[in-house]
Structures are given as C-alpha cells and as structure tokens.
Amino acid sequence: MNYNETIEYINNESKKGSIYGLDTINNFLDKLNRPDSDLNIISIAGTNGKGSTSSFITNILIDAGYKVGTFNSPAVFSFNETFLINGQAASNELCAKYISMVKEEVDKLVKENSKYIPTSFEQQFAAALLMFKNENCDIVILEAGMGGKDDATNSIKDNLVSIITSINYDHTEYLGDTLEKIAENKFGIVRKNLITCKQNRNIMKIFRKAHNLKVCKAPVPQISTLSSQTFLYGSRQYKIQMIGLHQLNNAALAIECAKFLRKKGFKIKYKNITKGLFNTTLPGRIEIINFNGKKVILDGAHNVEAAKALHNCIKALVFDNKTALVFGAFKDKDIDGVLSNIEFFDSPIYIASAPTERGLDLSSLKNICLKYYKNVITNTSISNALKNALDSDAEYIIVFGSFSILSEAKAYIRGNNG
C-alpha cells in the first residue's frame, strides 16, 4: 500500500470498532514472532499527563544520545504522530511500510476465518513494535490507549519500568466507577518497577503492591511566565517550556524515570535531564499561538482533572483580559464536569459538534452549556466557531474539549495565517 491507501485502510478498520482484552493482540504478536521481546520498554498509563510525561522522557533520552521510539494514543494532528522516532512523526513511507506488513498478516487471518482478527488500534500497536524493532530504537515508550490491564499495549511480555501519571475519572464504563477500580486497572501495566506521583490514600494502597515503588517528591514552583516555568526538585533547579503547574508533576516523573534508567546502566547525565526537560514542547497542551493580534490557547482538556488544570492556568495567564471560549466534546465524556470547572461563565462560548461520530450533537451540547454560560453561540463547525470568536472583542481565545477539535482549529489557523 502507498500512504493514501494506508490511511484509507486504517480509517475503514477503525469503523469496525474495538474489542477490550488481550487475547487477540497476543495471538497476533505471536504470529509476528513477538517483536516486543527484544525491546527496552517503558510503559505509561494514567488519566492525564501520559503524553507530556512520555515527551519529557523522550527528550531526556535523545539528549543522552539514545534513539527513542514512542507509541502515542491518540495522535492529535496527524496519523503519523502515532509513531514517533526521536520525537518526530514517522514518515509517510515508514507508516505505509509497517501498516502494510501488518495488513498482510491480517489478511491471512481473515482467509483462515480466524476468530482473532486485530482491531485498528491493535494493528497500529503491532506496526509500532515492528517499526521500533526494525528501525533499531534503543528504548521504546508505550502509552496505554485506555486503562492499562486490558489495553493492547499491555500485551508485551516485560518492561523496564511502568509509570502511572495522575488518576481521575474517565472511561468509567470500561474501567470502573470508582478511583480505586480505575487505579487497579491502570496498575495492570506494572511488571515489577513502578514510578508514580502522589495519589490519594486508597490509590496508593494499590500501588504499594508493586515490587519496587518510587513516589515522586512534590516539585516546588518558582517562576512562571507565558513561555516557561522554573521549579525545584530535590536540591536541583529545572526549567521547562510546558505551561501549567500540573506539568511539574509530569516533569518529576520523567526525572525519576531518568534516575531509574541510569541505575539500569543507561548513560544519562544531569545535563541531559535539564536540557531534555527544557527542550520539550507538545502541541495541544496549553499551547499558546499568537494569531491576528490575539492569543489562542489550545488544550485537549476533556475530563474534570484536565479542566481544573486548564482553568487554573488560564486564570494565571489572562488576568482581566477579555476571553472567549471555543468548545466541542464527545458524547461519552463528562461534559458537565468539564464545563463547570472552566469558570469563565461570563465569557461567550462558541460551540460546534466535534468532527467525529463520537461528537455530541449541537442541540444537546447547547443545552448543557446553557446550564453554566449566559452567552452560548452555536456554529456549523469548529473552524466557524474559532473564526467568530476571533472576530469578537476577546483578546484570549481558549479552544478545548477534545484533541479532535484542536486539529480542526489548528488547520484553520494554518490556512489563514498571512
């Protein structure tokens, strides 16, 4: 397949839905001769912060001279971002090559009428393992798609270390309706070694079952600006470009991961950690874009914890400047929880359906928004919503609700920039 055929194939496979559990992916990886068996793997799960934490770790390792493969979920702006090599999205050629390799094996299973036909996500994961193995990655970072225990990324035989970021409510219909159930599911990625940040008491009871547990100390914030923040961790000072106090915990997880890898024989110096942390930027995580004399803030906040973090950050950034909100959401998310925690209730909110089948319809979205906001403006698309927000007198435009709407918003900015 060429690249366009690859994208068409993946899109068609995605329409078939997903199956929760490891039987199918384990069978498929066996067919591929277990490409995970020779890889040095870091597994990451958590409700929020997986992408930021993996990016911090990636950049530390790159600065130390290692070749790093990262499997992301979800990709934010392009399919190629699913597979990163040294922080860069895989080329069209690499994506086509490895998805084609996977498709060949899937076609054999279909011909055999096998009951183990991998889903789109499972095929992408298998392609990632093949890519990272054949492209000679020194270390591989795997982000769980959902949960941990039954996620396809947990089909690996072993890992160096597992990292669990902050735990909160999300995907409760699959992971459970309590934080303890959600934490137990995510704890399923742990083989032996676990690094985590401070969680509530009941969650920590679960995590203490790990053979080797490291809990990050609390980072101490120092100076924060629109472009960077400094903090103390232990006796050392660090500076990052990622905005928001929640990013300090993600950075701390990366620091502890680097220390762990150093004990395992990886050659990582303090300067690699400081440079790697500072070099990390990530689209769609409180990303600030100057556009037509205004500041557009893009963030994928789609659950309560992420909404609280976004609100705290906005409050510190915008002061008394006029704001407008642009919002769209998936129907399976806690939309009330998100909107009630973005406490800019006097600001106009421009809404549109998220551009996927999972997007909540406009009428239902408007009814929810009217519970919290006085001025709700419906729009035919996210692009149209952003255009109208930019045409208002607002100085800051905050776009949030899902990563899928950020992609459309950014495409609008690119298409109208100059």
Side-chain angles (χ1 to χ4, degrees), residues 367-380:
N367 288 336
I368 297 174
C369 289
L370 284 170
K371 296 181 191 177
Y372 308 101
Y373 297 90
K374 301 173 184 175
N375 189 6
V376 180
I377 303 104
T378 59
N379 299 267
T380 56

Side-chain angles (χ1 to χ4, degrees), residues 31 34 51 59 93 96 107 115-116 118 141 184 197 209 213 229-230 282 308 313 322 332-333 355:
K31 295 278 187 186
R34 299 302 313 193
N59 282 293
E93 291 74 21
D107 289 344
K115 66 178 181 179
Y116 296 113
I141 301 171
E184 191 74 58
C197 49
K209 293 186 290 185
L213 172 65
Q229 50 184 337
T230 58
L282 199 58
K308 288 178 179 178
C313 191
K322 290 185 177 179
D332 57 346
K333 296 299 179 182

Side-chain angles (χ1 to χ4, degrees), residues 4 6 15 41 62 90 105 149 155 175 179 182 195 248 265 277 280-281 300 306 308 414 418:
N4 289 335
T6 298
K15 293 174 185 176
I41 293 174
I62 290 171
E105 295 301 319
K149 178 171 66 74
S155 58
L175 307 182
L179 290 179
I182 293 169
I195 300 171
L248 303 188
L277 291 179
T280 300
T281 59
K308 288 178 179 178
R414 281 197 303 266

Side-chain angles (χ1 to χ4, degrees), residues 35 39 66-69 83-86 90-91 93-95 97-98 101 127-140:
L39 297 174
Y66 292 101
K67 187 173 185 179
V68 187
F83 321 96
L84 303 180
I85 295 180
N86 276 359
S91 66
E93 291 74 21
L94 281 180
C95 290
K97 175 182 177 180
Y98 289 102
M101 289 172 64
L129 294 178
L130 287 171
M131 183 187 298
F132 299 151
K133 178 180 179 179
N134 293 343
E135 301 303 318
N136 300 312
C137 290
D138 300 309
I139 196 160
V140 169

Side-chain angles (χ1 to χ4, degrees), residues 10 24-36 39 71 82-83 97-103 105-106 118-134 142 152-153 155-156:
I10 287 296
T24 299
I25 185 61
N26 270 319
N27 178 73
F28 194 57
L29 292 182
D30 287 342
K31 295 278 187 186
L32 297 173
N33 296 318
R34 299 302 313 193
D36 59 301
L39 297 174
F71 179 69
T82 307
F83 321 96
K97 175 182 177 180
Y98 289 102
I99 294 294
S100 295
M101 289 172 64
V102 164
K103 182 180 182 299
E105 295 301 319
V106 172
T119 65
S120 174
F121 181 78
E122 289 170 334
Q123 291 182 51
Q124 292 172 57
F125 173 60
L129 294 178
L130 287 171
M131 183 187 298
F132 299 151
K133 178 180 179 179
N134 293 343
L142 302 177
T153 57
S155 58
I156 58 170

